[in-house]
Amino acid sequence: MFMLIFMPLFRTNWLLSRQALAECRKIDRQYVTEEELMRVNIWFAQIITDLGRSLQVRQVIVATAITYFKRFYTKNSFRNTEPNLVAATCMYLACKIEESPQHIKAVITDMKTIMQEKGEPFSYDNPKVAEMEFYLLEELNFNMIVYHPYRSLMTLAQDLGTKNEDVHWAWYVINDSYRTDMCLLYPPHVIAAAALYLQIALKGGAQYGDYSLTSMNTANNSSVAGVTTRGAKRGAAAAASNNNNNNNNINTSVNETPKVKDIRLWFAQLNVDLEQIIDIVQEIISLYKLWSEEDKQNEKIRDILNKLLK
């Protein structure tokens, strides 16, 4: 049985309580609601994701850039900064740290194209991004190494005997989690365990027997129907494109049957907080419910940004 004995090595410098996170956002909350702020986070996470796709960088670089962005805004407000500039700089810096450097001109050019497609200007030049890079480094206290849930997911999936296609499904749930505050609230191994549990509950629970971690049977909850559809679609797309550059770290063998029969005992022996796993699952569900309105997102986000930004 695999035990997460390596997780104490994870640095907790950037893990906050919900109360502390709310305190960080007091200025912005004067102008927008909590739900509107969630939409803003989804919006900028998507911009960074689009920029990473345009630059053809690995998914871990996108995740690092989004994490930098979120950490920066635990010390700063959207109201008093220029988030488009911050987003581009986070990607530029993440590429350096993850040993896949991009020329500053390439980052700026691609960012301009992305923002033009969204009907937004991006008028910043090389010196402005370079200046912002130094400010970003200071605000992050030069703690540039970011631990992500992906490695933990692969280790857990191998121990559990998860099928390759199901690992892809959980991998994409982790990708989506960066649109929430999870990376500021929970250690990466707990997020990985929650993504794997969500995959089990919604796709393959029957083969593990009784997999419910609480009295609530997540798989039968009608509120997660959108998660099933979105997750299955993303997992299928990932399985069909194993050579996708953004996800080339996924490399697991297919297992016809799971190695573990008692999934509740398996989770209990992971030495993780099961309540945190349930909280993460619920937050993912909330994300997908909000995200399901993405066809109206552009109209809403413009109104929100007009209220939030100077």
Side-chain angles (χ1 to χ4, degrees):
M1 171 62 65
F2 167 73
M3 299 293 289
L4 289 172
I5 57 175
F6 59 90
M7 284 308 156
L9 298 176
F10 171 69
R11 296 173 66 91
T12 59
N13 306 49
W14 290 99
L15 289 184
L16 306 174
S17 66
R18 290 191 181 276
Q19 183 178 2
L21 186 58
E23 186 68 21
C24 295
R25 294 172 171 171
K26 283 179 64 175
I27 295 177
D28 289 332
R29 287 286 282 106
Q30 295 176 22
Y31 303 95
V32 295
T33 66
E34 186 64 33
E35 180 180 307
E36 288 174 332
L37 204 52
M38 287 176 62
R39 292 184 184 276
V40 170
N41 278 311
I42 292 174
W43 172 261
F44 283 107
Q46 188 60 52
I47 287 175
I48 294 173
T49 300
D50 291 344
L51 180 57
R53 186 178 296 117
S54 180
L55 293 168
Q56 297 184 331
V57 300
R58 292 173 290 119
Q59 172 59 34
V60 69
I61 297 176
V62 174
T64 297
I66 295 175
T67 302
Y68 288 167
F69 185 86
K70 290 182 175 294
R71 289 178 177 181
F72 177 85
Y73 280 106
T74 63
K75 293 186 172 184
N76 299 271
S77 67
F78 286 103
R79 181 71 176 179
N80 297 322
T81 57
E82 302 167 277
N84 289 335
L85 174 61
V86 176
T89 308
C90 286
M91 176 57 72
Y92 177 59
L93 183 57
C95 289
K96 286 184 178 181
I97 299 301
E98 298 292 349
E99 299 182 349
S100 183
Q102 298 286 324
H103 198 285
I104 192 170
K105 288 184 178 179
V107 174
I108 292 173
T109 299
D110 286 14
M111 187 66 171
K112 285 182 178 179
T113 300
I114 290 167
M115 298 313 297
Q116 285 174 357
E117 291 173 352
K118 296 180 181 296
E120 300 287 337
F122 187 82
S123 56
Y124 306 104
D125 55 12
N126 295 11
K128 196 68 175 177
V129 172
E131 179 185 351
M132 184 66 218
E133 181 185 10
F134 285 106
Y135 183 52
L136 179 62
L137 285 165
E138 289 181 0
E139 290 296 271
L140 297 180
N141 297 328
F142 297 92
N143 293 327
M144 310 314 299
I145 302 301
V146 178
Y147 296 94
H148 297 291
Y150 302 112
R151 182 176 297 180
S152 295
L153 172 65
M154 305 310 292
T155 306
L156 290 169
Q158 183 177 11
D159 185 66
L160 188 58
T162 308
K163 291 182 179 180
N164 194 43
E165 62 186 82
D166 294 336
V167 176
H168 280 287
W169 196 97
W171 183 284
Y172 270 76
V173 170
I174 291 175
N175 290 353
D176 293 342
S177 75
Y178 284 94
R179 287 160 174 78
T180 72
D181 294 324
M182 289 183 205
C183 65
L184 299 175
L185 298 170
Y186 305 103
H189 66 285
V190 179
I191 298 173
L196 198 56
Y197 173 71
L198 192 58
Q199 178 273 319
I200 292 169
L202 296 176
K203 293 195 71 214
Q207 62 186 325
Y208 296 103
D210 184 1
Y211 54 85
S212 177
L213 299 185
T214 67
S215 59
M216 178 190 72
N217 189 334
T218 309
N220 292 329
N221 190 327
S222 60
S223 68
V224 303
V227 181
T228 308
T229 302
R230 184 181 291 271
K233 185 183 297 183
R234 289 173 178 272
S241 57
N242 285 333
N243 295 324
N244 186 305
N245 188 48
N246 279 355
N247 295 287
N248 57 11
N249 290 330
I250 306 179
N251 182 22
T252 58
S253 58
V254 175
N255 294 280
E256 294 301 326
T257 57
K259 298 178 182 177
V260 176
K261 296 299 183 182
D262 190 338
I263 194 65
R264 288 194 295 180
L265 177 61
W266 185 82
F267 269 99
Q269 292 178 330
L270 289 181
N271 194 28
V272 298
D273 188 337
L274 298 185
E275 289 300 320
Q276 285 190 339
I277 291 179
I278 297 302
D279 288 345
I280 292 171
V281 168
Q282 292 299 329
E283 193 160 346
I284 292 172
I285 292 170
S286 297
L287 166 69
Y288 286 139
K289 289 174 68 177
L290 193 64
W291 211 356
S292 66
E293 304 173 14
E294 58 190 347
D295 55 327
K296 304 175 184 177
Q297 180 81 339
N298 281 349
E299 292 181 19
K300 289 185 177 181
I301 197 64
R302 293 184 196 286
D303 292 339
I304 295 169
L305 292 176
N306 285 337
K307 290 191 296 181
L308 181 59
L309 305 180
K310 289 183 179 179

